[in-house]
Amino acid sequence: VSEQPAAEEVPSAEEVTPAADTAENPPVDPWSDPRLPWEGRPRKVDIACWAAIVLSGLYYLAILPWRASLIGTHPVVSVLLNGSAEAIVSAAAFARVGHGTVAVVLLAAIPGLMKFTLVYWWAGRLWGEKIVQLFAGHSERQRKRGLRFVAWVNRRGRLIIWPAVVVAPFLPIPQAIVYAIAGWTGMSWVTFLVLDLIGTLSWAGMLAGLGYALGHPAVSVAQTISRYGLWFTIAIVVFVILAQVR
């Protein structure tokens, strides 16, 4: 009598499930996050640039409590630390009444406005269009404006970014988007800094001219703002939160 072949053992459902799950749901790469501008595992240069961007945001948050109080007491210091429009106008108005000079205001505005711009250029050089989209933020309006600007640059050609860097402070989009596009399109850092300096002095010169023309009335307003600095700071914080929510 011939022997019957042994029946093959059929794996149980429990034994099949893990392999099936692995095929259907491959392991998730922890670095594949759409909120990050790089693909895959970051390089050291990616981490360094990302850390610089984060530190720039923390810096502005750290000086926020003094933004209003310094306008009417030490406006040039405010220009140096923050480079805000109201600080430049106030400092020039103080120069009009004999406290400082417009030249000092303009010199303070250079580091005040340019201290992080090269970081944004560097981010554009490293990550291209993806960081431009991240710089547009969560605001749908800002995101659409940023994407329209990118499309406009693509239609006009890369040379259009040269004048765009100069007029970036005057544009109704985040300046970081313009600076990132400059890096993305291959502009050298030397050219970028020269164009950025021209734009910075143009913007600061316009604001300083306004403050100098206003003179004493602008000084009075700045001193009032400093007197109620805490309330103005709270108002600024609320405005920033609402802008992010929108």
Side-chain angles (χ1 to χ4, degrees):
V1 180
S2 61
E3 294 182 358
Q4 297 293 331
E8 296 182 358
E9 293 185 3
V10 178
S12 63
E14 290 78 3
E15 294 173 337
V16 174
T17 302
D21 287 346
T22 303
E24 294 177 1
N25 301 310
V28 178
D29 185 356
W31 297 109
S32 296
D33 191 332
R35 295 170 296 180
L36 299 175
W38 55 77
E39 297 291 340
R41 190 176 185 86
R43 303 163 295 175
K44 291 182 179 180
V45 69
D46 294 323
I47 296 175
C49 187
W50 190 251
I53 293 172
V54 172
L55 287 175
S56 70
L58 294 176
Y59 171 83
Y60 284 114
L61 287 176
I63 66 173
L64 189 59
W66 293 276
R67 180 169 180 173
S69 60
L70 288 174
I71 289 177
T73 56
H74 301 84
V76 175
V77 175
S78 182
V79 173
L80 184 63
L81 293 177
N82 187 41
S84 63
E86 64 272 16
I88 297 173
V89 171
S90 174
F94 271 84
R96 173 68 181 272
V97 298
H99 298 282
T101 64
V102 174
V104 172
V105 176
L106 294 178
L107 288 175
I110 294 174
L113 291 168
M114 291 180 59
K115 54 184 170 289
F116 295 119
T117 57
L118 194 60
V119 173
Y120 307 140
W121 170 91
W122 186 24
R125 176 62 64 92
L126 289 176
W127 304 313
E129 186 174 0
K130 192 166 185 181
I131 193 61
V132 173
Q133 296 174 354
L134 291 177
F135 280 155
H138 300 292
S139 169
E140 186 66 20
R141 180 185 303 175
Q142 292 286 15
R143 192 181 68 83
K144 288 182 178 179
R145 286 178 178 175
L147 293 178
R148 282 200 300 266
F149 182 76
V150 171
W152 182 72
V153 170
N154 288 331
R155 288 196 306 269
R156 299 289 182 177
R158 293 185 175 184
L159 287 179
I160 199 66
I161 196 63
W162 284 47
V165 172
V166 174
V167 301
F170 301 87
L171 297 178
I173 61 174
Q175 296 175 41
I177 292 178
V178 181
Y179 303 146
I181 292 177
W184 172 29
T185 54
M187 180 183 294
S188 70
W189 66 270
V190 175
T191 301
F192 170 75
L193 287 179
V194 171
L195 296 174
D196 189 22
L197 178 62
I198 296 172
T200 295
L201 290 176
S202 300
W203 174 251
M206 183 195 71
L207 295 174
L210 175 62
Y212 195 84
L214 292 174
H216 189 270
V219 171
S220 300
V221 172
Q223 290 173 337
T224 302
I225 292 175
S226 293
R227 189 176 302 118
Y228 300 100
L230 174 62
W231 297 108
F232 279 104
T233 299
I234 294 174
I236 292 172
V237 171
V238 172
F239 175 77
V240 170
I241 294 174
L242 291 178
Q244 292 298 319
V245 171
R246 290 178 61 188

